[in-house]
Amino acid sequence: MASIGLKKVKKSYGAAHVIKGIDLDISHGEFCVFVGPSGCGKSTLLRMISGLEDITDGEVVIDSEVVNDIPAADRGLAMVFQSYALYPHMTVRQNLSFGLENIGTPKAEIETKVAEVSAMLQIDQLLDRKPKDLSGGQRQRVAIGRAVVREPRVFLFDEPLSNLDAELRVDMRGEIAALHKRLGNTMIYVTHDQVEAMTMADKIAVLRLGALEQFGAPLELFNNPINLFVAGFIGSPKMNFIEGTIDDNNVNSLTLATGEAIAIPSDGFNQVSGQKVTLGIRPKDLQPKPDGSLQMEVRTVEQLGTESYLYGRLADGTGITIHSAGQTTVEPGEMISVGAAEKTMHLFDTESGLTLRAQ
Ligand SMILES: Nc1ncnc2c1ncn2[C@@H]1O[C@H](COP(=O)(O)OP(=O)(O)OP(=O)(O)O)[C@@H](O)[C@H]1O
Ligand SMILES: [Mg+2]
C-alpha cells in the first residue's frame, strides 16, 4: 500500500502547458479514478506518476518520499495500458515471468507466483499460449497478471477495458474491483466510462485542460458538483442546462429567454436579483407534468422497454433530455409541459460557472 501526493505538478512540452499545477492527495488503499475530456491530460498525469514522463515542475510524492528523480522501474508501481502491451513472441507464462526474471527473482519463486496469479485471474489454462491465440479479455487479464506478479505498491490503469465489448467490460470491471478488495493496493484508474467511474471509484478526480476541477467521492460529485463543467461531466445522460435571469423583485423566480418563468428554490442557494444563472436539472428529475412550467417540443423518443428517453428543445432551442422509468406514450412532434421538483434543482452563476449552493 502507498499514498500518493501531487504537489503543484506541471508538465509542459515547449510552450504547450498540458498539466497546469495539480494538487492531489490519494490515500493508502484508495481506488482513485481520473476522468475528463479527451486531451485533458489524464494519461500524461498517470505517466508522470509512473515515471515514464518527466515532471516539469512540482513534486510527485509516494509514501512521503519525493520520487521525481527516481526511475520508473524503482518506484514500485505497475501500469496496465489500453493496448495490453504484451510481448507477442512470448507465451503467457513468459509474459508473466519476464519482469521477475529481470530483477533476479529465484526461479522457484517465479513459478509459485505465476501459478498463484494465473489461478486468481483464471488464465492458468492458457499459460503456454501466445497472445495472438487469446481473446481480448484474456489478453487484458494477462496484462493485469503481469502487473500483479510484481506486487507493486500502486497499480496504474490507463483505460484498460476500452478495447473490450460491453459484456466483457462488465465482467472485467467486477474482477478489477475484486482484485482491489483482495490486494488492498492503491489504484489509479483512467476511464471515459461513466459507469466504471461511478461504480469502481472511492474518489473521482475530474480533469479539464490540464487542471483539477473537483476531487471527491462519486456521489459527492454527482450531488454537489462545484461548477457547470463537473455537473455536465458527471452523470449520464448529461444534466440539462437552462439559462435565465433572476427576477428583479423575486429571487425565487427565474425568467428564461423564452419568456417562461420558473419557480426556483432560494433555500440553500445565494442567487441575487438580476443575476444571470443557469438552472441544472438531471434528466431523471425532469418529467412531463400537466402543470409543468416549461414547454418542450419532443423530437426523438427512445423506448428501451424498462426505461425511456425523450429528446427535444425549448422554444429558444435549448436542448432537453428526459429519462423516465418504464415506457412512455409521448410521441415525436408533441409539445409537452415539463417540470421538476425544486429540491432536485441545481443553480450556477452563468458567467463564472460556479455553483450557487451556499456551502
Ligand atoms: N509529446 C507531446 N508533445 C506535445 N503535446 C503532447 C505530447 N504528448 C501529449 N501532448 C498533449 O498533451 C495533452 C494531454 O494528453 P493526454 O494524452 O494526457 O490526454 P488524455 O486526457 O489522456 O486524453 P485521452 O482521453 O484522449 O486519452 C494533449 O493535448 C496532447 O496533445
Ligand atoms: Mg489518455
Side-chain angles (χ1 to χ4, degrees), residues 290-346:
D291 61 345
S293 42
L294 296 171
Q295 301 306 307
M296 168 185 176
E297 179 199 352
V298 178
R299 309 191 91 198
T300 309
V301 178
E302 288 179 353
Q303 301 260 25
L304 302 184
T306 53
E307 56 186 337
S308 42
Y309 294 87
L310 305 179
Y311 302 96
R313 57 188 187 185
L314 304 180
D316 68 349
T318 301
I320 297 288
T321 303
I322 292 181
H323 177 202
S324 309
Q327 301 173 8
T328 178
T329 54
V330 175
E331 300 209 5
E334 272 185 57
M335 285 296 292
I336 57 172
S337 301
V338 301
E342 284 190 14
K343 66 173 178 6
T344 65
M345 293 177 176
H346 297 256

Short mmCIF file of all heavy atoms in Angstrom, two decimals, residues 290-346:
data_model
loop_
_atom_site.label_atom_id
_atom_site.label_comp_id
_atom_site.label_asym_id
_atom_site.label_seq_id
_atom_site.Cartn_x
_atom_site.Cartn_y
_atom_site.Cartn_z
N PRO A 290 -48.65 17.97 -16.39
CA PRO A 290 -49.65 18.88 -16.97
C PRO A 290 -49.43 20.32 -16.53
O PRO A 290 -49.64 21.25 -17.31
CB PRO A 290 -50.98 18.34 -16.43
CG PRO A 290 -50.69 16.94 -15.99
CD PRO A 290 -49.26 16.87 -15.63
N ASP A 291 -48.96 20.52 -15.27
CA ASP A 291 -48.79 21.89 -14.78
C ASP A 291 -47.32 22.33 -14.81
O ASP A 291 -46.94 23.29 -14.16
CB ASP A 291 -49.33 21.99 -13.35
CG ASP A 291 -48.58 21.06 -12.41
OD1 ASP A 291 -47.86 20.15 -12.92
OD2 ASP A 291 -48.70 21.23 -11.19
N GLY A 292 -46.48 21.62 -15.58
CA GLY A 292 -45.06 21.97 -15.66
C GLY A 292 -44.89 23.35 -16.28
O GLY A 292 -45.67 23.76 -17.14
N SER A 293 -43.84 24.10 -15.85
CA SER A 293 -43.73 25.48 -16.33
C SER A 293 -42.90 25.62 -17.60
O SER A 293 -42.74 26.72 -18.12
CB SER A 293 -43.19 26.38 -15.22
OG SER A 293 -42.15 25.75 -14.55
N LEU A 294 -42.37 24.52 -18.14
CA LEU A 294 -41.59 24.60 -19.38
C LEU A 294 -42.33 23.87 -20.50
O LEU A 294 -42.90 22.80 -20.28
CB LEU A 294 -40.23 23.94 -19.20
CG LEU A 294 -39.27 24.57 -18.20
CD1 LEU A 294 -38.07 23.66 -17.97
CD2 LEU A 294 -38.82 25.94 -18.71
N GLN A 295 -42.29 24.46 -21.69
CA GLN A 295 -42.90 23.81 -22.85
C GLN A 295 -41.79 23.21 -23.70
O GLN A 295 -40.88 23.92 -24.11
CB GLN A 295 -43.69 24.83 -23.69
CG GLN A 295 -44.81 25.53 -22.93
CD GLN A 295 -45.76 24.53 -22.29
OE1 GLN A 295 -46.28 23.65 -22.96
NE2 GLN A 295 -45.97 24.66 -20.97
N MET A 296 -41.89 21.93 -23.94
CA MET A 296 -40.83 21.22 -24.68
C MET A 296 -41.41 20.60 -25.94
O MET A 296 -42.45 19.94 -25.90
CB MET A 296 -40.27 20.13 -23.77
CG MET A 296 -39.37 19.13 -24.46
SD MET A 296 -38.90 17.84 -23.27
CE MET A 296 -37.96 16.76 -24.34
N GLU A 297 -40.69 20.81 -27.04
CA GLU A 297 -41.05 20.13 -28.28
C GLU A 297 -40.26 18.83 -28.33
O GLU A 297 -39.02 18.84 -28.31
CB GLU A 297 -40.69 21.00 -29.49
CG GLU A 297 -41.02 20.34 -30.81
CD GLU A 297 -40.27 20.96 -31.99
OE1 GLU A 297 -39.61 22.01 -31.82
OE2 GLU A 297 -40.33 20.36 -33.06
N VAL A 298 -40.97 17.71 -28.36
CA VAL A 298 -40.30 16.41 -28.36
C VAL A 298 -39.88 16.09 -29.79
O VAL A 298 -40.69 16.16 -30.72
CB VAL A 298 -41.23 15.31 -27.82
CG1 VAL A 298 -40.55 13.94 -27.88
CG2 VAL A 298 -41.67 15.64 -26.40
N ARG A 299 -38.60 15.77 -29.99
CA ARG A 299 -38.13 15.47 -31.34
C ARG A 299 -37.83 13.98 -31.52
O ARG A 299 -38.05 13.42 -32.57
CB ARG A 299 -36.88 16.30 -31.65
CG ARG A 299 -37.12 17.78 -31.33
CD ARG A 299 -36.03 18.62 -31.87
NE ARG A 299 -36.34 19.08 -33.21
CZ ARG A 299 -35.44 19.55 -34.06
NH1 ARG A 299 -34.17 19.61 -33.73
NH2 ARG A 299 -35.80 19.95 -35.26
N THR A 300 -37.29 13.35 -30.48
CA THR A 300 -36.93 11.92 -30.58
C THR A 300 -37.40 11.20 -29.32
O THR A 300 -37.29 11.75 -28.22
CB THR A 300 -35.40 11.76 -30.69
OG1 THR A 300 -34.93 12.62 -31.72
CG2 THR A 300 -35.00 10.34 -30.99
N VAL A 301 -37.90 9.99 -29.49
CA VAL A 301 -38.31 9.17 -28.35
C VAL A 301 -37.57 7.85 -28.44
O VAL A 301 -37.55 7.22 -29.50
CB VAL A 301 -39.83 8.91 -28.37
CG1 VAL A 301 -40.24 8.01 -27.20
CG2 VAL A 301 -40.61 10.22 -28.33
N GLU A 302 -36.91 7.46 -27.34
CA GLU A 302 -36.25 6.15 -27.32
C GLU A 302 -36.92 5.28 -26.27
O GLU A 302 -36.90 5.62 -25.09
CB GLU A 302 -34.75 6.29 -26.98
CG GLU A 302 -33.95 6.88 -28.11
CD GLU A 302 -32.47 7.05 -27.76
OE1 GLU A 302 -32.08 6.82 -26.60
OE2 GLU A 302 -31.71 7.42 -28.66
N GLN A 303 -37.48 4.19 -26.70
CA GLN A 303 -38.14 3.26 -25.78
C GLN A 303 -37.25 2.05 -25.60
O GLN A 303 -36.99 1.32 -26.55
CB GLN A 303 -39.47 2.77 -26.40
CG GLN A 303 -40.44 3.86 -26.72
CD GLN A 303 -41.54 4.01 -25.67
OE1 GLN A 303 -41.35 3.63 -24.50
NE2 GLN A 303 -42.67 4.54 -26.07
N LEU A 304 -36.73 1.85 -24.38
CA LEU A 304 -35.86 0.71 -24.15
C LEU A 304 -36.58 -0.41 -23.41
O LEU A 304 -35.97 -1.37 -22.97
CB LEU A 304 -34.61 1.13 -23.37
CG LEU A 304 -33.76 2.24 -24.01
CD1 LEU A 304 -32.51 2.49 -23.20
CD2 LEU A 304 -33.38 1.89 -25.44
N GLY A 305 -37.87 -0.26 -23.25
CA GLY A 305 -38.63 -1.29 -22.54
C GLY A 305 -38.79 -0.95 -21.07
O GLY A 305 -39.86 -0.59 -20.62
N THR A 306 -37.67 -1.06 -20.33
CA THR A 306 -37.76 -0.76 -18.89
C THR A 306 -37.54 0.72 -18.60
O THR A 306 -37.74 1.18 -17.48
CB THR A 306 -36.73 -1.56 -18.08
OG1 THR A 306 -35.45 -1.32 -18.67
CG2 THR A 306 -37.04 -3.04 -18.11
N GLU A 307 -37.07 1.47 -19.58
CA GLU A 307 -36.86 2.91 -19.39
C GLU A 307 -37.04 3.61 -20.73
O GLU A 307 -37.02 2.96 -21.78
CB GLU A 307 -35.46 3.18 -18.83
CG GLU A 307 -34.38 2.58 -19.69
CD GLU A 307 -32.98 2.70 -19.10
OE1 GLU A 307 -32.75 3.58 -18.26
OE2 GLU A 307 -32.12 1.92 -19.52
N SER A 308 -37.26 4.93 -20.68
CA SER A 308 -37.40 5.66 -21.94
C SER A 308 -36.76 7.04 -21.85
O SER A 308 -36.61 7.61 -20.77
CB SER A 308 -38.88 5.77 -22.32
OG SER A 308 -39.67 6.06 -21.20
N TYR A 309 -36.37 7.53 -23.02
CA TYR A 309 -35.72 8.83 -23.12
C TYR A 309 -36.51 9.70 -24.09
O TYR A 309 -36.91 9.24 -25.16
CB TYR A 309 -34.30 8.69 -23.67
CG TYR A 309 -33.36 7.96 -22.75
CD1 TYR A 309 -33.26 6.57 -22.78
CD2 TYR A 309 -32.57 8.65 -21.84
CE1 TYR A 309 -32.41 5.89 -21.93
CE2 TYR A 309 -31.70 7.98 -20.98
CZ TYR A 309 -31.63 6.61 -21.03
OH TYR A 309 -30.78 5.94 -20.18
N LEU A 310 -36.72 10.96 -23.71
CA LEU A 310 -37.32 11.94 -24.61
C LEU A 310 -36.25 12.99 -24.88
O LEU A 310 -35.64 13.50 -23.93
CB LEU A 310 -38.53 12.62 -23.97
CG LEU A 310 -39.66 11.74 -23.43
CD1 LEU A 310 -40.75 12.62 -22.82
CD2 LEU A 310 -40.23 10.88 -24.55
N TYR A 311 -36.03 13.30 -26.15
CA TYR A 311 -35.08 14.36 -26.51
C TYR A 311 -35.86 15.44 -27.24
O TYR A 311 -36.69 15.13 -28.10
CB TYR A 311 -33.99 13.84 -27.44
CG TYR A 311 -33.20 12.69 -26.86
CD1 TYR A 311 -33.54 11.37 -27.17
CD2 TYR A 311 -32.12 12.91 -26.01
CE1 TYR A 311 -32.82 10.30 -26.65
CE2 TYR A 311 -31.39 11.84 -25.49
CZ TYR A 311 -31.74 10.55 -25.82
OH TYR A 311 -31.03 9.49 -25.30
N GLY A 312 -35.60 16.70 -26.90
CA GLY A 312 -36.31 17.77 -27.57
C GLY A 312 -35.69 19.10 -27.24
O GLY A 312 -34.51 19.17 -26.89
N ARG A 313 -36.51 20.18 -27.38
CA ARG A 313 -35.96 21.51 -27.12
C ARG A 313 -37.03 22.46 -26.63
O ARG A 313 -38.23 22.26 -26.89
CB ARG A 313 -35.27 22.05 -28.37
CG ARG A 313 -36.20 22.10 -29.55
CD ARG A 313 -35.45 22.47 -30.81
NE ARG A 313 -36.39 22.68 -31.90
CZ ARG A 313 -36.05 22.92 -33.14
NH1 ARG A 313 -34.78 22.97 -33.48
NH2 ARG A 313 -36.97 23.10 -34.06
N LEU A 314 -36.56 23.52 -25.97
CA LEU A 314 -37.45 24.60 -25.56
C LEU A 314 -37.62 25.54 -26.75
O LEU A 314 -36.93 25.41 -27.77
CB LEU A 314 -36.86 25.36 -24.37
CG LEU A 314 -36.50 24.52 -23.14
CD1 LEU A 314 -35.92 25.41 -22.05
CD2 LEU A 314 -37.73 23.77 -22.63
N ALA A 315 -38.50 26.54 -26.60
CA ALA A 315 -38.79 27.46 -27.72
C ALA A 315 -37.54 28.20 -28.18
O ALA A 315 -37.42 28.56 -29.35
CB ALA A 315 -39.88 28.44 -27.29
N ASP A 316 -36.57 28.42 -27.28
CA ASP A 316 -35.34 29.15 -27.70
C ASP A 316 -34.26 28.20 -28.21
O ASP A 316 -33.14 28.61 -28.47
CB ASP A 316 -34.80 29.99 -26.54
CG ASP A 316 -34.27 29.11 -25.40
OD1 ASP A 316 -34.52 27.88 -25.42
OD2 ASP A 316 -33.61 29.65 -24.50
N GLY A 317 -34.58 26.91 -28.36
CA GLY A 317 -33.62 25.97 -28.94
C GLY A 317 -32.81 25.21 -27.91
O GLY A 317 -32.05 24.30 -28.26
N THR A 318 -32.91 25.57 -26.61
CA THR A 318 -32.18 24.84 -25.56
C THR A 318 -32.54 23.35 -25.61
O THR A 318 -33.72 23.00 -25.56
CB THR A 318 -32.55 25.39 -24.16
OG1 THR A 318 -32.23 26.78 -24.13
CG2 THR A 318 -31.81 24.66 -23.06
N GLY A 319 -31.52 22.50 -25.72
CA GLY A 319 -31.75 21.05 -25.80
C GLY A 319 -32.16 20.49 -24.45
O GLY A 319 -31.64 20.90 -23.41
N ILE A 320 -33.09 19.57 -24.46
CA ILE A 320 -33.62 18.97 -23.22
C ILE A 320 -33.67 17.45 -23.36
O ILE A 320 -34.09 16.94 -24.39
CB ILE A 320 -35.06 19.49 -22.94
CG1 ILE A 320 -35.07 21.00 -22.70
CG2 ILE A 320 -35.69 18.74 -21.76
CD1 ILE A 320 -34.47 21.44 -21.39
N THR A 321 -33.25 16.76 -22.30
CA THR A 321 -33.36 15.30 -22.25
C THR A 321 -34.16 14.90 -21.00
O THR A 321 -33.93 15.45 -19.92
CB THR A 321 -31.95 14.65 -22.13
OG1 THR A 321 -31.17 15.08 -23.24
CG2 THR A 321 -32.03 13.13 -22.14
N ILE A 322 -35.07 13.98 -21.19
CA ILE A 322 -35.85 13.46 -20.07
C ILE A 322 -35.65 11.95 -20.02
O ILE A 322 -35.71 11.27 -21.05
CB ILE A 322 -37.35 13.77 -20.24
CG1 ILE A 322 -37.56 15.28 -20.10
CG2 ILE A 322 -38.21 12.99 -19.25
CD1 ILE A 322 -39.00 15.70 -20.22
N HIS A 323 -35.37 11.44 -18.83
CA HIS A 323 -35.16 10.00 -18.65
C HIS A 323 -36.21 9.49 -17.66
O HIS A 323 -36.26 9.97 -16.53
CB HIS A 323 -33.75 9.76 -18.10
CG HIS A 323 -33.44 8.32 -17.82
ND1 HIS A 323 -32.46 7.94 -16.95
CD2 HIS A 323 -33.98 7.18 -18.30
CE1 HIS A 323 -32.40 6.61 -16.90
NE2 HIS A 323 -33.32 6.14 -17.71
N SER A 324 -37.07 8.56 -18.10
CA SER A 324 -38.11 8.05 -17.21
C SER A 324 -38.00 6.54 -17.09
O SER A 324 -37.58 5.86 -18.02
CB SER A 324 -39.50 8.34 -17.79
OG SER A 324 -39.61 9.69 -18.14
N ALA A 325 -38.41 6.05 -15.94
CA ALA A 325 -38.53 4.60 -15.78
C ALA A 325 -39.74 4.16 -16.59
O ALA A 325 -40.68 4.94 -16.81
CB ALA A 325 -38.73 4.26 -14.32
N GLY A 326 -39.72 2.94 -17.10
CA GLY A 326 -40.89 2.40 -17.80
C GLY A 326 -41.03 2.93 -19.22
O GLY A 326 -40.09 3.46 -19.80
N GLN A 327 -42.23 2.76 -19.77
CA GLN A 327 -42.49 3.11 -21.17
C GLN A 327 -43.29 4.40 -21.23
O GLN A 327 -43.89 4.80 -20.24
CB GLN A 327 -43.23 1.96 -21.84
CG GLN A 327 -42.38 0.68 -21.76
CD GLN A 327 -43.05 -0.58 -22.23
OE1 GLN A 327 -44.15 -0.54 -22.79
NE2 GLN A 327 -42.40 -1.70 -22.02
N THR A 328 -43.25 5.08 -22.38
CA THR A 328 -43.92 6.37 -22.49
C THR A 328 -44.93 6.34 -23.64
O THR A 328 -44.74 5.61 -24.62
CB THR A 328 -42.89 7.50 -22.70
OG1 THR A 328 -43.59 8.73 -22.84
CG2 THR A 328 -42.04 7.27 -23.94
N THR A 329 -45.96 7.18 -23.51
CA THR A 329 -46.93 7.29 -24.61
C THR A 329 -46.66 8.54 -25.45
O THR A 329 -47.32 8.78 -26.45
CB THR A 329 -48.36 7.38 -24.05
OG1 THR A 329 -48.40 8.47 -23.11
CG2 THR A 329 -48.77 6.10 -23.35
N VAL A 330 -45.65 9.33 -25.01
CA VAL A 330 -45.32 10.56 -25.74
C VAL A 330 -44.73 10.20 -27.12
O VAL A 330 -43.98 9.23 -27.24
CB VAL A 330 -44.31 11.41 -24.94
CG1 VAL A 330 -43.87 12.62 -25.72
CG2 VAL A 330 -44.91 11.81 -23.60
N GLU A 331 -45.07 11.00 -28.13
CA GLU A 331 -44.57 10.71 -29.47
C GLU A 331 -43.79 11.89 -30.03
O GLU A 331 -44.02 13.03 -29.63
CB GLU A 331 -45.76 10.40 -30.39
CG GLU A 331 -46.52 9.20 -29.88
CD GLU A 331 -47.19 8.44 -30.99
OE1 GLU A 331 -46.98 8.80 -32.18
OE2 GLU A 331 -47.91 7.49 -30.68
N PRO A 332 -42.87 11.62 -30.96
CA PRO A 332 -42.11 12.72 -31.57
C PRO A 332 -43.06 13.74 -32.19
O PRO A 332 -44.09 13.36 -32.76
CB PRO A 332 -41.28 12.02 -32.66
CG PRO A 332 -41.20 10.60 -32.23
CD PRO A 332 -42.46 10.31 -31.49
N GLY A 333 -42.71 15.03 -32.05
CA GLY A 333 -43.54 16.08 -32.63
C GLY A 333 -44.49 16.70 -31.62
O GLY A 333 -44.99 17.80 -31.82
N GLU A 334 -44.73 16.01 -30.50
CA GLU A 334 -45.65 16.55 -29.48
C GLU A 334 -45.02 17.72 -28.74
O GLU A 334 -43.81 17.75 -28.53
CB GLU A 334 -45.98 15.47 -28.44
CG GLU A 334 -47.16 14.60 -28.78
CD GLU A 334 -47.48 13.63 -27.63
OE1 GLU A 334 -47.71 14.10 -26.50
OE2 GLU A 334 -47.45 12.41 -27.89
N MET A 335 -45.89 18.67 -28.31
CA MET A 335 -45.45 19.71 -27.37
C MET A 335 -45.93 19.24 -26.00
O MET A 335 -47.11 18.93 -25.84
CB MET A 335 -46.14 21.05 -27.67
CG MET A 335 -45.60 21.79 -28.88
SD MET A 335 -43.89 22.32 -28.71
CE MET A 335 -44.04 23.55 -27.44
N ILE A 336 -45.03 19.18 -25.03
CA ILE A 336 -45.47 18.74 -23.69
C ILE A 336 -44.99 19.74 -22.63
O ILE A 336 -44.03 20.47 -22.85
CB ILE A 336 -44.93 17.33 -23.33
CG1 ILE A 336 -43.40 17.29 -23.41
CG2 ILE A 336 -45.53 16.25 -24.23
CD1 ILE A 336 -42.79 15.99 -22.88
N SER A 337 -45.72 19.78 -21.52
CA SER A 337 -45.29 20.59 -20.39
C SER A 337 -44.42 19.72 -19.50
O SER A 337 -44.77 18.56 -19.24
CB SER A 337 -46.50 21.06 -19.57
OG SER A 337 -47.36 21.80 -20.38
N VAL A 338 -43.30 20.28 -19.05
CA VAL A 338 -42.42 19.50 -18.18
C VAL A 338 -42.05 20.34 -16.96
O VAL A 338 -42.08 21.58 -17.01
CB VAL A 338 -41.14 19.03 -18.91
CG1 VAL A 338 -41.49 18.17 -20.11
CG2 VAL A 338 -40.27 20.20 -19.34
N GLY A 339 -41.68 19.66 -15.90
CA GLY A 339 -41.29 20.37 -14.68
C GLY A 339 -40.46 19.46 -13.79
O GLY A 339 -40.33 18.26 -14.05
N ALA A 340 -39.89 20.07 -12.74
CA ALA A 340 -39.06 19.31 -11.81
C ALA A 340 -39.32 19.79 -10.39
O ALA A 340 -39.72 20.93 -10.18
CB ALA A 340 -37.58 19.52 -12.14
N ALA A 341 -39.10 18.90 -9.43
CA ALA A 341 -39.24 19.29 -8.02
C ALA A 341 -38.11 20.26 -7.68
O ALA A 341 -36.97 20.07 -8.11
CB ALA A 341 -39.16 18.05 -7.15
N GLU A 342 -38.43 21.28 -6.88
CA GLU A 342 -37.42 22.29 -6.55
C GLU A 342 -36.20 21.68 -5.88
O GLU A 342 -35.08 22.12 -6.10
CB GLU A 342 -38.03 23.36 -5.63
CG GLU A 342 -38.92 24.31 -6.38
CD GLU A 342 -39.31 25.51 -5.53
OE1 GLU A 342 -38.69 25.74 -4.48
OE2 GLU A 342 -40.26 26.21 -5.93
N LYS A 343 -36.41 20.65 -5.07
CA LYS A 343 -35.27 20.10 -4.32
C LYS A 343 -34.25 19.39 -5.23
O LYS A 343 -33.15 19.09 -4.81
CB LYS A 343 -35.74 19.20 -3.19
CG LYS A 343 -36.43 17.93 -3.61
CD LYS A 343 -36.67 17.08 -2.38
CE LYS A 343 -37.39 15.77 -2.56
NZ LYS A 343 -37.72 15.27 -3.86
N THR A 344 -34.64 19.11 -6.48
CA THR A 344 -33.69 18.44 -7.39
C THR A 344 -32.92 19.44 -8.24
O THR A 344 -32.08 19.05 -9.05
CB THR A 344 -34.43 17.48 -8.34
OG1 THR A 344 -35.29 18.26 -9.20
CG2 THR A 344 -35.27 16.47 -7.59
N MET A 345 -33.23 20.74 -8.07
CA MET A 345 -32.61 21.73 -8.97
C MET A 345 -31.21 22.14 -8.51
O MET A 345 -30.94 22.24 -7.33
CB MET A 345 -33.49 22.98 -9.03
CG MET A 345 -34.82 22.74 -9.71
SD MET A 345 -35.83 24.24 -9.67
CE MET A 345 -37.25 23.69 -10.64
N HIS A 346 -30.33 22.38 -9.49
CA HIS A 346 -29.01 22.95 -9.24
C HIS A 346 -29.00 24.34 -9.85
O HIS A 346 -29.65 24.58 -10.88
CB HIS A 346 -27.92 22.12 -9.92
CG HIS A 346 -27.82 20.71 -9.41
ND1 HIS A 346 -26.83 20.30 -8.56
CD2 HIS A 346 -28.61 19.62 -9.63
CE1 HIS A 346 -26.99 19.02 -8.28
NE2 HIS A 346 -28.06 18.58 -8.91
#
